[in-house]
């Protein structure tokens, strides 16, 4: 099994266990295995501090509590990946050489791409590892 897939499963299992405990105490909820699905790793090219080209990799997943919207999101997975690739490359083009990526800005851009692709809010983008190398 791939290490990333195993890591993703561990994150989902941990989130499901903590959401069960949180739901019983506070009524809130986090991503669970029923509402979460993973997307392939997104890559974008960047310029490193040395002037060479590098790669920005982003692990993403989507949490959709609404069943109807979840089905739409799963069926729109290729469109989501395309929108995420466009948003990631746009983000990488604005990144200064050698600078640390602003994860808040990246997640806001990916969330906007998700809402635009699905046609309405309700799906939440979850980021895994974001690495610039």
């Amino acid at each position: 099994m791939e290490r990333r897939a195993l890591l993703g499963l561990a994150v989902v299992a941990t989130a499901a266990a903590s959401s069960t405990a949180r739901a019983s105490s506070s009524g809130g909820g986090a991503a669970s295995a029923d509402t979460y699905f993973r997307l392939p790793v997104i890559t974008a090219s960047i310029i490193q501090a040395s002037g060479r080209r590098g790669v920005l990799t982003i692990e993403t997943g989507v949490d959709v509590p609404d069943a109807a919207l979840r089905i739409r999101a799963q069926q729109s997975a290729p469109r989501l990946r395309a929108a995420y690739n466009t948003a990631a490359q746009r983000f990488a083009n604005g990144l200064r050489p050698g600078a640390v990526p602003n994860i808040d800005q990246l997640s806001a851009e990916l969330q906007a791409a998700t809402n635009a692709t699905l046609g309405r809010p309700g799906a939440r983008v979850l980021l895994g590892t974001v690495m610039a190398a």
Side-chain angles (χ1 to χ4, degrees), residues 12-13 15-16 19 30-37 63 70:
V12 170
S19 71
S32 72
D34 297 334
T35 62
Y36 172 82
F37 67 96
D63 179 39
R70 185 176 333 112

Side-chain angles (χ1 to χ4, degrees), residues 8 17 24 30 40 49 52-53 66 68 92 94 106 112 120 126-127:
S24 64
R52 292 184 170 175
R53 293 207 176 268
D66 180 23
L106 176 62
R120 67 181 176 107
L126 303 175
L127 296 180

Side-chain angles (χ1 to χ4, degrees), residues 2-20:
E2 278 189 26
R3 186 174 70 186
R4 288 183 182 161
L6 186 60
L7 180 62
L9 289 174
V11 169
V12 170
T14 306
S18 67
S19 71
T20 306

Side-chain angles (χ1 to χ4, degrees), residues 47 60 68 72 84 114:
I47 303 295
T60 60
R72 180 181 174 117
Y84 290 173
T114 302

